[in-house]
Amino acid sequence: MSSKQWRKGVPFHADVAPWVRHMPQVDEYRENLLRLQAAWDSLALLGQMSGAAADIAHTRTAFESLTARLLDSLARRLLDNARQRLQGQAQVAIDILVRNLFERTADVGFLAADAPLRALAAGGDDKAVEARAALEARFRAYVAKYSVYDDIVLLSPQGLVLARLDRSVAATHSADPLIAQALRPGVPYVQRHGATDLLDGRTGLIFASAVRGEEGEACGVLCLSFRLADEMRGVFAQLLPAGERTVLALVDAQGQVLQSSDAWQIPPGARLPAVSRQRLVFAGRDYLAVAAPANAYEGYAGPGWSAVALLPVEQAFDMDQAAQPSSGDALTAGLDTRDLFDAELHGIPLEASRIQRDLSRALWNGSLRSRAHSEAAGFAITLLGEVERTGQRLRLVFEQAIANLQHSALAAVFDSAVFHARLAIDIMDRNLYERANDCRWWALDAELQRLPSGEITVAQAGERLRHINSLYTVYALLLVFDAEGRVLTVSDPAQAHQQGRLLDAPWVAATLALRDRERYAVSPHAACGLYGQHGERPTYVYAAALPAPDDGSRVLGGIAVVFDGEPQFAAMLRDARPPGASALLLSRDGRVVSSTDPRWPVGGGGPLASADLALAAGETRRCELEIDGLVYAVGIAMSGGYREYRRGAAPGEQDVAAVMLMPLGQRLAPAPGLPPAFEPEAFRAELGAPMLDVASFLVDGQWLGLPARQTLEALERPRLTGMPNAPAALLGMLSHQEQMLPVLDLGRLLYGRPSAASEAPVLVCQREGGQRLALCVQELGQVFSIAAEAARPSPTRGGRERLLRGAAGGPMLTLLDVEDLWRQLAGGELAGGLAGGLDLIEG
């Protein structure tokens, strides 16, 4: 089977061909290019009459081949951009959810070990009324901190409801299979999604864990009902800004839609077919689609769900689907973008320039030939001018298409930088939300509240902290301190030397001053003496006041959690960082909180100034940054909080921004611009006055010319034979029509500076006596006619050169003479370098 498929007369790769009819950009350029190519039909016919038919046919074939490559490359770039955008949205959606659900697996295990809850489960029905009311009040206090739950239910091993948060649910008993599963020995938790009698038949995502008594016997089951729909609404809103046409769906292993960002297009409960080659047909509508399975987090891969991102094919390739970079056009012109685009795309503009250069040279030669046959010169020159204009229009279309491709690719890089920065900061906000919740809830732990009064021993409290730390592994250390700020116990036996230490950091005093159970204190991101072997590593410490069990307004001390920031922040950045990018978390003053790039270590200054980070909560920004000559696309996202955590908080030192630096390329030195094209000044000559045909060309930025009768043709840079000990202006010898011709670098000969690039044309010139030489020049101009008397002697070269004025104050042209150049070659300093070469020429 061919790897190419034809669409509207153009071959496309098989993987992109089915999408081409939905790509308005491809269609627009195809129409423009084919319309221009159709002009070659007329030109080729006329070319038979001017002798230019072979050149026209060659150019037409070259442009046709390049057109197919350009359109195919454009189509594949559009498909790749759309596919990558969908892949990013789908992957982020499922990975954010899995990270959230991972925290729930720890929550249910910890709460199942809560002393009041265990007491009610072990006590049975004896104290049901009072104990149930107290426990349900505790559930409300829990959900005030962990608002991701809409219900908490305590069941007996037989499924009897002992206490629950949501009293509007009528169920008093449950036969859900998850009860038996949770009661099995060695099962830390069970997760189940579906309709359940536990919620009066409503569909829910339940996390369940056995409640065990003092001897380890199972005496109940705790169930936490996760607010899945609420969570996914937040995820969808974050990933799909206003006007976004993408639909995101959460699906189970069988393809059933659990949640959807657009229930009108993809309704929950529907079953989606499998995505095949990025295509999905649902309800008679064709979608570009990508499915993303979950990446495991800390070994947890979620319930086996995936996220699917879908975009109707008729909207998938609209340009307004992608945001544009603020300075994309300027960047494209000033960057070496080879690392952004494949070799084929980079080769297309080079090939277009080569074809145009070949065409210009062929037309230049055709114009010379036409002027040698004056009887058909007028028609031929008109035809050749039309051919050149058609070629130039084709080149402009190619340049515009390439520029749009590059602009689109740059837009995708800037979009990706902002997207992944937003992802990183969202992961961080969600993570720190859990830290603020944990310290506040653990401050209400009945066992830990008894430590300051001596009702339990330090060893017992330490064991309790170790158990908590084993469930919540994101902490380097948990500790309890008394009302003077002295450490009573810690979770890590290796840190036992911290016991008895007097803490004097500002966050300690702030914690002991708290009287509201919903408040917490947090340290700046700095060394706290509690993290690392010598306590020198910077991190965050979250703390909450430890209230007296009998009087919540009296503070006995506090509980502090030392976040294991170094690996946790590194993992957040690693999960959010796109390939090849540098990812950082920066404080508002530009200090590094975490970094994937060794150039910016933690605690030092980052690549951005504080002014660059002056963003409102939740705001994003894109910009460019140049570091050591390399330009980066920068995406910045400021922390905006999550749920109750720091939402609406005033800007402060706790604010953190995620920054993505994606390399674009080296800054290119400005290319020297060519001077304006030479147009001869209008000159009124006497009727019948002699005319002069001039072949113009550019050397070292100066317009020069030769009489057309002295110029035979222009060659692409031919193969030269070097000559030992030749002067610098003599580039070598070339074989032309069985003659060996010397090749002069005209720029070095006239101005002392080499001006010939590797692709520069070479002019074959001829003296009156028939001897020939070749001149290497910078660029070809036009071949034109002018009254001979308009060429005036040059005042600086003793009359050997003549000057032509340019029209409307434009550049002047210096008219050279081959005889003068030959005299320099044969009689001047160049003669010695020719050695025996002149014998060949003269002969």
Side-chain angles (χ1 to χ4, degrees), residues 325-402:
S326 56
S327 56
D329 291 329
L331 276 173
T332 303
L335 285 181
D336 180 355
T337 56
R338 282 176 294 183
D339 292 339
L340 289 181
F341 311 113
D342 55 41
E344 182 178 28
L345 182 56
H346 259 290
I348 289 174
L350 298 178
E351 181 69 9
S353 295
R354 186 193 65 77
I355 294 172
Q356 182 63 40
R357 194 168 59 249
D358 283 350
L359 178 62
S360 296
R361 180 179 54 82
L363 297 179
W364 202 81
N365 290 334
S367 185
L368 288 175
R369 289 195 299 268
S370 298
R371 293 173 191 279
H373 302 82
S374 57
E375 67 279 0
F379 167 76
I381 290 168
T382 300
L383 170 65
L384 294 172
E386 186 59 33
V387 171
E388 183 164 28
R389 283 189 289 274
T390 302
Q392 288 172 346
R393 288 197 297 269
L394 274 169
R395 179 179 56 82
L396 290 175
V397 173
F398 273 88
E399 289 177 354
Q400 183 184 17
I402 293 296

Coordinates of all heavy atoms in Angstrom, one line a residue, residues 325-402:
P325 N 1.7 33.8 20.1 CA 2.7 34.5 20.9 C 2.7 36.0 20.6 O 2.4 36.4 19.6 CB 4.0 33.8 20.5 CG 3.8 33.4 19.1 CD 2.3 33.0 19.0
S326 N 3.0 36.7 21.7 CA 3.0 38.2 21.6 C 3.9 38.7 20.5 O 3.7 39.8 19.9 CB 3.2 38.8 22.9 OG 4.5 38.4 23.4
S327 N 5.0 38.0 20.3 CA 6.0 38.6 19.4 C 6.5 37.5 18.4 O 7.7 37.5 18.1 CB 7.2 39.1 20.2 OG 7.7 38.2 21.1
G328 N 5.6 36.6 18.0 CA 6.0 35.5 17.2 C 6.7 35.9 15.9 O 7.6 35.3 15.5
D329 N 6.1 36.9 15.2 CA 6.7 37.3 13.9 C 8.1 37.8 14.1 O 9.0 37.4 13.3 CB 5.8 38.4 13.3 CG 4.5 37.8 12.9 OD1 4.4 36.7 12.5 OD2 3.5 38.6 12.9
A330 N 8.3 38.6 15.1 CA 9.7 39.2 15.3 C 10.6 38.0 15.7 O 11.8 38.0 15.2 CB 9.7 40.2 16.4
L331 N 10.2 37.1 16.5 CA 11.0 36.0 16.9 C 11.4 35.1 15.7 O 12.6 34.7 15.6 CB 10.3 35.2 17.9 CG 10.4 35.6 19.4 CD1 9.5 34.8 20.3 CD2 11.8 35.6 19.9
T332 N 10.4 34.8 14.9 CA 10.7 33.9 13.7 C 11.8 34.5 12.9 O 12.7 33.8 12.4 CB 9.4 33.7 12.9 OG1 8.4 33.2 13.7 CG2 9.7 32.8 11.8
A333 N 11.8 35.8 12.7 CA 12.8 36.4 11.8 C 14.2 36.5 12.5 O 15.2 36.6 11.8 CB 12.3 37.9 11.5
G334 N 14.2 36.5 13.8 CA 15.5 36.7 14.5 C 16.0 35.4 15.2 O 17.0 35.6 15.9
L335 N 15.5 34.3 14.9 CA 15.9 33.1 15.6 C 16.4 32.0 14.7 O 15.9 31.9 13.6 CB 14.8 32.5 16.5 CG 14.4 33.2 17.7 CD1 13.2 32.5 18.4 CD2 15.6 33.3 18.7
D336 N 17.3 31.2 15.2 CA 17.7 30.0 14.5 C 16.7 28.9 15.0 O 16.9 28.4 16.1 CB 19.1 29.6 14.8 CG 19.6 28.3 14.2 OD1 18.7 27.7 13.5 OD2 20.8 27.9 14.3
T337 N 15.7 28.6 14.2 CA 14.6 27.7 14.6 C 14.8 26.3 14.1 O 13.9 25.5 14.1 CB 13.3 28.2 14.1 OG1 13.4 28.4 12.7 CG2 13.0 29.6 14.7
R338 N 16.0 25.9 13.8 CA 16.2 24.5 13.3 C 15.8 23.4 14.3 O 15.4 22.4 13.9 CB 17.7 24.3 12.9 CG 18.1 24.9 11.6 CD 19.6 24.8 11.3 NE 20.4 25.6 12.3 CZ 21.7 25.7 12.2 NH1 22.4 25.0 11.2 NH2 22.4 26.4 13.1
D339 N 15.9 23.7 15.6 CA 15.6 22.7 16.6 C 14.1 22.6 16.8 O 13.6 21.7 17.4 CB 16.2 23.0 17.9 CG 17.7 22.9 17.9 OD1 18.2 22.1 17.0 OD2 18.4 23.5 18.7
L340 N 13.3 23.6 16.2 CA 11.9 23.6 16.4 C 11.2 22.8 15.2 O 10.1 22.3 15.4 CB 11.3 25.0 16.4 CG 11.6 25.8 17.7 CD1 10.9 27.2 17.6 CD2 11.1 25.1 18.9
F341 N 11.8 22.8 14.1 CA 11.2 22.3 12.9 C 12.0 21.1 12.3 O 13.2 21.1 12.4 CB 11.0 23.4 11.8 CG 10.4 24.6 12.4 CD1 11.1 25.8 12.5 CD2 9.1 24.6 12.9 CE1 10.6 26.9 13.0 CE2 8.5 25.8 13.4 CZ 9.3 26.9 13.5
D342 N 11.3 20.2 11.6 CA 12.0 19.1 11.1 C 12.8 19.5 9.8 O 12.6 20.6 9.3 CB 11.0 18.0 10.7 CG 9.9 18.4 9.8 OD1 10.2 19.2 8.8 OD2 8.8 18.0 10.0
A343 N 13.7 18.6 9.4 CA 14.6 19.0 8.3 C 13.9 19.3 7.0 O 14.3 20.1 6.3 CB 15.6 17.8 8.1
E344 N 12.8 18.6 6.8 CA 12.0 18.8 5.6 C 11.5 20.2 5.5 O 11.5 20.9 4.5 CB 10.9 17.8 5.4 CG 10.1 17.9 4.1 CD 9.0 16.9 4.0 OE1 8.5 16.4 5.0 OE2 8.7 16.6 2.8
L345 N 10.9 20.6 6.7 CA 10.3 21.9 6.7 C 11.4 23.0 6.5 O 11.2 24.0 5.9 CB 9.5 22.1 8.0 CG 8.8 23.5 8.2 CD1 7.9 23.7 7.0 CD2 8.1 23.5 9.5
H346 N 12.5 22.8 7.1 CA 13.6 23.7 7.0 C 14.1 23.8 5.6 O 14.6 24.8 5.1 CB 14.8 23.4 7.9 CG 14.8 24.2 9.2 ND1 15.1 25.5 9.2 CD2 14.5 23.9 10.4 CE1 15.1 26.0 10.4 NE2 14.7 25.0 11.2
G347 N 14.0 22.6 4.9 CA 14.6 22.6 3.5 C 13.7 23.2 2.5 O 14.1 23.6 1.4
I348 N 12.4 23.4 2.8 CA 11.4 23.9 1.8 C 11.8 25.3 1.4 O 11.9 25.7 0.2 CB 10.0 23.8 2.3 CG1 9.6 22.3 2.3 CG2 9.0 24.6 1.4 CD1 8.2 22.0 2.9
P349 N 11.9 26.3 2.4 CA 12.3 27.7 1.9 C 13.6 27.7 1.2 O 13.8 28.5 0.3 CB 12.3 28.4 3.3 CG 12.4 27.4 4.3 CD 11.8 26.2 3.8
L350 N 14.6 26.9 1.6 CA 15.9 26.9 0.9 C 15.7 26.4 -0.5 O 16.3 26.9 -1.4 CB 16.9 26.0 1.7 CG 17.2 26.4 3.1 CD1 18.1 25.4 3.8 CD2 17.8 27.8 3.1
E351 N 14.9 25.4 -0.7 CA 14.6 24.9 -2.0 C 13.9 25.9 -2.9 O 14.1 26.1 -4.0 CB 13.8 23.5 -1.9 CG 13.5 22.9 -3.3 CD 14.8 22.3 -3.9 OE1 15.8 22.3 -3.3 OE2 14.6 21.9 -5.1
A352 N 12.9 26.6 -2.3 CA 12.1 27.6 -3.0 C 13.1 28.7 -3.4 O 13.0 29.2 -4.6 CB 11.0 28.2 -2.1
S353 N 14.0 29.1 -2.5 CA 15.0 30.1 -2.9 C 15.9 29.7 -4.0 O 16.2 30.4 -5.0 CB 15.8 30.5 -1.7 OG 15.0 31.1 -0.7
R354 N 16.3 28.4 -4.0 CA 17.1 27.9 -5.0 C 16.4 27.8 -6.4 O 17.0 28.2 -7.4 CB 17.6 26.4 -4.7 CG 18.6 25.9 -5.6 CD 18.8 24.4 -5.5 NE 17.6 23.7 -5.8 CZ 17.2 23.4 -7.0 NH1 17.9 23.9 -8.1 NH2 16.1 22.7 -7.3
I355 N 15.2 27.4 -6.4 CA 14.4 27.4 -7.6 C 14.2 28.8 -8.2 O 14.4 29.1 -9.4 CB 13.0 26.8 -7.4 CG1 13.2 25.3 -7.0 CG2 12.1 26.9 -8.6 CD1 11.9 24.6 -6.6
Q356 N 13.9 29.7 -7.3 CA 13.8 31.1 -7.7 C 15.1 31.7 -8.2 O 15.1 32.4 -9.2 CB 13.3 32.0 -6.5 CG 13.1 33.4 -6.9 CD 11.9 33.6 -7.9 OE1 10.9 32.9 -7.8 NE2 12.1 34.5 -8.8
R357 N 16.2 31.3 -7.6 CA 17.5 31.8 -8.1 C 17.8 31.2 -9.5 O 18.3 31.9 -10.4 CB 18.6 31.4 -7.1 CG 19.9 32.1 -7.3 CD 20.8 31.9 -6.1 NE 21.1 30.5 -5.8 CZ 20.6 29.8 -4.8 NH1 19.9 30.4 -3.9 NH2 20.9 28.5 -4.6
D358 N 17.5 29.9 -9.6 CA 17.7 29.3 -10.9 C 16.9 29.9 -12.0 O 17.3 30.2 -13.1 CB 17.3 27.8 -10.9 CG 18.4 26.9 -10.2 OD1 19.5 27.5 -9.9 OD2 18.2 25.8 -9.9
L359 N 15.6 30.2 -11.6 CA 14.7 30.9 -12.6 C 15.2 32.3 -12.9 O 15.2 32.7 -14.1 CB 13.3 31.0 -12.0 CG 12.3 31.7 -12.9 CD1 12.0 31.0 -14.2 CD2 10.9 31.8 -12.1
S360 N 15.6 33.0 -11.9 CA 16.2 34.4 -12.2 C 17.4 34.3 -13.1 O 17.5 35.1 -14.1 CB 16.5 35.1 -10.9 OG 15.4 35.3 -10.1
R361 N 18.3 33.3 -12.9 CA 19.4 33.2 -13.7 C 19.1 32.8 -15.1 O 19.6 33.4 -16.1 CB 20.4 32.2 -13.1 CG 21.7 32.0 -13.9 CD 22.6 30.9 -13.2 NE 21.8 29.7 -13.0 CZ 21.7 28.7 -13.9 NH1 22.1 28.9 -15.1 NH2 21.0 27.6 -13.6
A362 N 18.1 31.9 -15.3 CA 17.7 31.5 -16.6 C 17.0 32.7 -17.4 O 17.3 32.8 -18.6 CB 16.7 30.3 -16.5
L363 N 16.2 33.4 -16.6 CA 15.6 34.6 -17.3 C 16.6 35.7 -17.6 O 16.5 36.4 -18.6 CB 14.5 35.2 -16.4 CG 13.3 34.2 -16.1 CD1 12.3 34.9 -15.1 CD2 12.6 33.8 -17.4
W364 N 17.6 35.8 -16.8 CA 18.7 36.8 -17.1 C 19.4 36.4 -18.4 O 19.6 37.2 -19.2 CB 19.6 36.8 -15.9 CG 20.5 38.0 -15.7 CD1 20.1 39.2 -15.1 CD2 21.8 38.2 -16.1 NE1 21.1 40.1 -15.1 CE2 22.2 39.5 -15.6 CE3 22.8 37.3 -16.7 CZ2 23.5 39.9 -15.9 CZ3 24.1 37.8 -16.9 CH2 24.4 39.1 -16.5
N365 N 19.7 35.1 -18.4 CA 20.3 34.6 -19.7 C 19.4 34.7 -20.9 O 19.8 35.1 -22.0 CB 20.8 33.1 -19.5 CG 21.9 33.0 -18.5 OD1 22.7 33.9 -18.3 ND2 22.0 31.8 -17.9
G366 N 18.1 34.5 -20.6 CA 17.1 34.6 -21.7 C 17.0 36.0 -22.2 O 16.9 36.3 -23.4
S367 N 17.1 36.9 -21.3 CA 17.1 38.3 -21.7 C 18.3 38.7 -22.5 O 18.2 39.5 -23.5 CB 16.9 39.2 -20.4 OG 16.8 40.6 -20.8
L368 N 19.5 38.2 -22.1 CA 20.7 38.4 -22.9 C 20.5 37.9 -24.3 O 20.9 38.5 -25.3 CB 21.9 37.8 -22.2 CG 22.4 38.5 -20.9 CD1 23.5 37.6 -20.3 CD2 22.9 39.9 -21.2
R369 N 20.0 36.7 -24.4 CA 19.8 36.0 -25.7 C 18.8 36.8 -26.6 O 19.0 37.0 -27.8 CB 19.4 34.6 -25.6 CG 20.4 33.7 -25.0 CD 20.0 32.2 -25.2 NE 18.8 31.9 -24.5 CZ 18.7 31.4 -23.3 NH1 19.8 31.2 -22.6 NH2 17.5 31.2 -22.8
S370 N 17.8 37.3 -25.9 CA 16.7 38.0 -26.7 C 17.3 39.3 -27.3 O 16.9 39.7 -28.4 CB 15.5 38.3 -25.8 OG 15.0 37.1 -25.3
R371 N 18.1 40.0 -26.5 CA 18.6 41.2 -27.0 C 19.6 41.0 -28.1 O 19.9 42.0 -28.9 CB 19.2 42.0 -25.8 CG 18.2 42.5 -24.8 CD 18.7 43.1 -23.6 NE 17.7 43.2 -22.6 CZ 16.8 44.2 -22.5 NH1 16.9 45.2 -23.5 NH2 15.9 44.3 -21.6
A372 N 20.1 39.8 -28.2 CA 21.1 39.5 -29.3 C 20.3 39.3 -30.6 O 20.9 39.3 -31.7 CB 21.9 38.3 -28.9
H373 N 18.9 39.1 -30.5 CA 18.1 38.9 -31.7 C 17.0 39.9 -31.6 O 15.9 39.7 -31.1 CB 17.5 37.4 -31.7 CG 18.5 36.4 -31.6 ND1 19.1 35.9 -30.5 CD2 19.0 35.6 -32.7 CE1 19.9 34.9 -30.7 NE2 19.9 34.7 -32.1
S374 N 17.4 41.1 -32.1 CA 16.5 42.3 -31.9 C 15.1 42.1 -32.5 O 14.2 42.8 -32.1 CB 17.2 43.5 -32.4 OG 17.5 43.3 -33.8
E375 N 15.0 41.2 -33.5 CA 13.7 41.2 -34.2 C 12.6 40.6 -33.3 O 11.4 40.9 -33.5 CB 13.8 40.3 -35.5 CG 14.1 38.8 -35.2 CD 15.6 38.5 -34.9 OE1 16.4 39.5 -35.0 OE2 15.9 37.3 -34.7
A376 N 13.0 39.8 -32.3 CA 11.9 39.3 -31.4 C 12.2 39.7 -29.9 O 11.6 39.1 -29.0 CB 11.9 37.7 -31.4
A377 N 13.0 40.7 -29.8 CA 13.4 41.1 -28.4 C 12.2 41.6 -27.6 O 12.1 41.2 -26.4 CB 14.5 42.1 -28.5
G378 N 11.4 42.4 -28.2 CA 10.3 43.0 -27.4 C 9.3 42.0 -26.8 O 9.0 42.0 -25.6
F379 N 8.9 41.0 -27.7 CA 8.0 40.0 -27.2 C 8.7 39.1 -26.2 O 8.1 38.8 -25.1 CB 7.5 39.1 -28.4 CG 6.9 37.8 -28.0 CD1 5.5 37.9 -27.5 CD2 7.5 36.6 -28.0 CE1 4.9 36.7 -27.1 CE2 6.9 35.5 -27.6 CZ 5.6 35.5 -27.1
A380 N 9.9 38.7 -26.4 CA 10.6 37.8 -25.5 C 10.8 38.4 -24.2 O 10.6 37.8 -23.1 CB 11.9 37.3 -26.1
I381 N 11.2 39.7 -24.2 CA 11.5 40.3 -22.9 C 10.2 40.5 -22.1 O 10.1 40.3 -20.9 CB 12.1 41.7 -23.2 CG1 13.5 41.5 -23.7 CG2 12.1 42.6 -21.9 CD1 14.1 42.8 -24.3
T382 N 9.1 40.8 -22.8 CA 7.8 40.8 -22.1 C 7.4 39.5 -21.5 O 7.0 39.4 -20.3 CB 6.7 41.3 -23.1 OG1 7.0 42.6 -23.6 CG2 5.3 41.4 -22.4
L383 N 7.6 38.4 -22.3 CA 7.3 37.1 -21.8 C 8.2 36.7 -20.6 O 7.7 36.2 -19.5 CB 7.5 36.1 -22.9 CG 7.4 34.6 -22.4 CD1 6.1 34.2 -21.9 CD2 7.9 33.7 -23.6
L384 N 9.4 37.0 -20.7 CA 10.4 36.7 -19.6 C 10.0 37.4 -18.3 O 10.1 36.9 -17.2 CB 11.8 36.9 -20.0 CG 12.3 36.0 -21.2 CD1 13.7 36.5 -21.6 CD2 12.4 34.6 -20.7
G385 N 9.6 38.7 -18.5 CA 9.2 39.5 -17.3 C 8.0 38.8 -16.6 O 7.9 38.8 -15.4
E386 N 7.0 38.4 -17.4 CA 5.8 37.7 -16.9 C 6.2 36.4 -16.2 O 5.7 36.1 -15.1 CB 4.8 37.5 -18.0 CG 3.5 36.9 -17.5 CD 2.8 37.9 -16.5 OE1 3.0 39.1 -16.7 OE2 2.2 37.4 -15.6
V387 N 7.1 35.7 -16.8 CA 7.6 34.4 -16.1 C 8.2 34.7 -14.8 O 8.0 34.1 -13.7 CB 8.6 33.7 -17.0 CG1 9.2 32.5 -16.2 CG2 7.9 33.2 -18.3
E388 N 9.1 35.8 -14.7 CA 9.7 36.1 -13.5 C 8.7 36.6 -12.4 O 8.8 36.2 -11.3 CB 10.7 37.2 -13.7 CG 11.5 37.6 -12.5 CD 12.8 38.4 -12.7 OE1 12.8 39.1 -13.8 OE2 13.7 38.2 -12.0
R389 N 7.7 37.4 -12.8 CA 6.7 37.8 -11.9 C 5.9 36.6 -11.3 O 5.6 36.6 -10.1 CB 5.8 38.8 -12.5 CG 6.4 40.2 -12.6 CD 5.4 41.3 -13.1 NE 5.1 41.1 -14.5 CZ 5.7 41.6 -15.5 NH1 6.8 42.3 -15.3 NH2 5.3 41.4 -16.8
T390 N 5.6 35.7 -12.2 CA 4.9 34.5 -11.7 C 5.7 33.7 -10.7 O 5.2 33.2 -9.7 CB 4.5 33.6 -12.9 OG1 3.7 34.3 -13.8 CG2 3.8 32.3 -12.4
G391 N 7.0 33.5 -11.0 CA 7.9 32.9 -10.1 C 8.0 33.6 -8.8 O 8.0 33.0 -7.7
Q392 N 8.1 34.9 -8.8 CA 8.1 35.7 -7.6 C 6.9 35.5 -6.7 O 6.9 35.5 -5.5 CB 8.4 37.2 -7.9 CG 9.8 37.4 -8.4 CD 10.0 38.9 -8.9 OE1 9.0 39.6 -9.1 NE2 11.2 39.3 -9.1
R393 N 5.7 35.5 -7.4 CA 4.5 35.3 -6.7 C 4.4 34.0 -6.0 O 4.0 33.8 -4.9 CB 3.3 35.5 -7.6 CG 3.0 36.9 -8.0 CD 1.6 37.2 -8.6 NE 1.4 36.4 -9.8 CZ 1.6 36.9 -11.0 NH1 2.1 38.1 -11.2 NH2 1.4 36.1 -12.1
L394 N 4.9 33.0 -6.7 CA 5.0 31.6 -6.1 C 5.9 31.6 -4.9 O 5.6 31.1 -3.9 CB 5.5 30.6 -7.2 CG 4.5 30.0 -8.1 CD1 5.1 29.2 -9.2 CD2 3.6 29.0 -7.3
R395 N 7.1 32.3 -5.1 CA 8.0 32.4 -3.9 C 7.3 33.1 -2.7 O 7.5 32.6 -1.6 CB 9.3 33.1 -4.4 CG 10.3 33.2 -3.2 CD 11.6 33.9 -3.7 NE 11.3 35.2 -4.3 CZ 11.1 36.3 -3.6 NH1 11.2 36.3 -2.3 NH2 10.8 37.5 -4.2
L396 N 6.6 34.1 -3.0 CA 6.0 34.9 -1.9 C 4.9 34.0 -1.2 O 4.8 34.0 0.0 CB 5.3 36.1 -2.4 CG 6.3 37.2 -2.8 CD1 5.5 38.4 -3.5 CD2 7.1 37.7 -1.7
V397 N 4.2 33.2 -2.0 CA 3.2 32.3 -1.3 C 3.9 31.3 -0.5 O 3.5 31.0 0.7 CB 2.3 31.6 -2.4 CG1 1.4 30.6 -1.8 CG2 1.5 32.6 -3.1
F398 N 5.0 30.7 -1.0 CA 5.8 29.8 -0.2 C 6.3 30.5 1.1 O 6.2 29.9 2.2 CB 7.0 29.3 -1.0 CG 6.7 28.1 -1.8 CD1 6.2 28.2 -3.1 CD2 6.9 26.8 -1.3 CE1 5.9 27.1 -3.9 CE2 6.6 25.7 -2.1 CZ 6.1 25.8 -3.4
E399 N 6.9 31.7 1.0 CA 7.4 32.3 2.1 C 6.3 32.6 3.2 O 6.5 32.5 4.4 CB 8.1 33.7 1.7 CG 9.4 33.5 1.0 CD 10.0 34.8 0.5 OE1 9.3 35.8 0.7 OE2 11.1 34.8 0.0
Q400 N 5.1 33.0 2.7 CA 4.0 33.3 3.6 C 3.6 32.0 4.3 O 3.3 31.9 5.5 CB 2.8 33.9 2.9 CG 1.6 34.2 3.8 CD 0.5 34.7 3.0 OE1 0.4 34.5 1.8 NE2 -0.5 35.4 3.7
A401 N 3.5 30.9 3.6 CA 3.1 29.6 4.2 C 4.2 29.2 5.2 O 3.8 28.7 6.3 CB 3.0 28.5 3.1
I402 N 5.4 29.3 4.9 CA 6.5 28.9 5.8 C 6.4 29.8 7.0 O 6.5 29.3 8.2 CB 7.9 29.0 5.1 CG1 8.0 27.9 4.0 CG2 9.0 28.8 6.2 CD1 7.9 26.5 4.5

